Amino acid sequence: MVQTKNAKTAALIMVMAIILCSFVYKPDWALVGIAKGSAFTGRLAYPIFHASPIHAIVNSWCLLSIVFIYHITIWRILTAYIVAVLVPEFLLSDVPTVGLSCVCYTLLGSLIFDVKRKLYFNACMALYIAVGFFFPAVNAVIHIYGYLAGLIVGLLNAPLSCFRLKK
């Protein structure tokens, strides 16, 4: 209970900083975005910066929804951030990408063993990812990476039954 409370507090602080930053600071996207050959600082910063205040608000709403609806710990948020920062170079384009969505998709992928309606959940995620391909400014490839990496994280952290089922 304490860990989820800490995660909620951390998520609220992150969201306030992200939204405030989107209204106040307009960075050089080549410095804070992630792209082929981007600096390490760009990898660390790209989830924080957003292309517009609306982009920041939508991504923040998604993060808060995940954290407040599901049992998310601070460690799961940190793991999702690390996974998002470690996007493989071959998945990146020459245009810098910014935004929190890879973190959100990683969290959503890691929830696969926590949801009851797994098929419905995955169908919704597939639809959300597919819609991203229709918008030119959306990096849907990173969304796919985040969700698949989250699935792997969820699988690695899934509880395994120690008992054999009786027939």
Side-chain angles (χ1 to χ4, degrees), residues 14-36:
M14 284 172 31
V15 161
M16 287 189 303
I18 287 168
I19 292 173
L20 180 66
C21 184
S22 73
F23 279 104
V24 175
Y25 181 64
K26 297 296 178 203
D28 178 10
W29 300 122
L31 294 176
V32 298
I34 187 170
K36 284 187 180 176

Side-chain angles (χ1 to χ4, degrees), residues 122-165:
N122 277 313
C124 287
M125 291 299 103
L127 177 66
Y128 298 150
I129 291 171
V131 166
F133 282 100
F134 293 105
F135 292 96
V138 174
N139 191 342
V141 174
I142 286 185
H143 293 171
I144 294 171
Y145 161 77
Y147 189 68
L148 292 177
L151 287 173
I152 293 169
V153 168
L155 178 66
L156 293 175
N157 290 308
L160 298 175
S161 175
C162 296
F163 304 101
R164 179 179 279 166
L165 293 175

Side-chain angles (χ1 to χ4, degrees), residues 50-91:
H50 289 76
S52 70
I54 293 174
H55 181 216
I57 290 168
V58 169
N59 276 333
S60 296
W61 171 75
C62 181
L63 176 67
L64 289 177
S65 296
I66 296 166
V67 170
F68 277 82
I69 291 173
Y70 296 101
H71 181 73
I72 301 293
T73 62
I74 193 79
W75 297 110
R76 192 179 269 191
I77 293 173
L78 184 61
T79 301
Y81 176 79
I82 291 169
V83 166
V85 167
L86 296 176
V87 175
E89 186 80 17
F90 69 89
L91 293 178

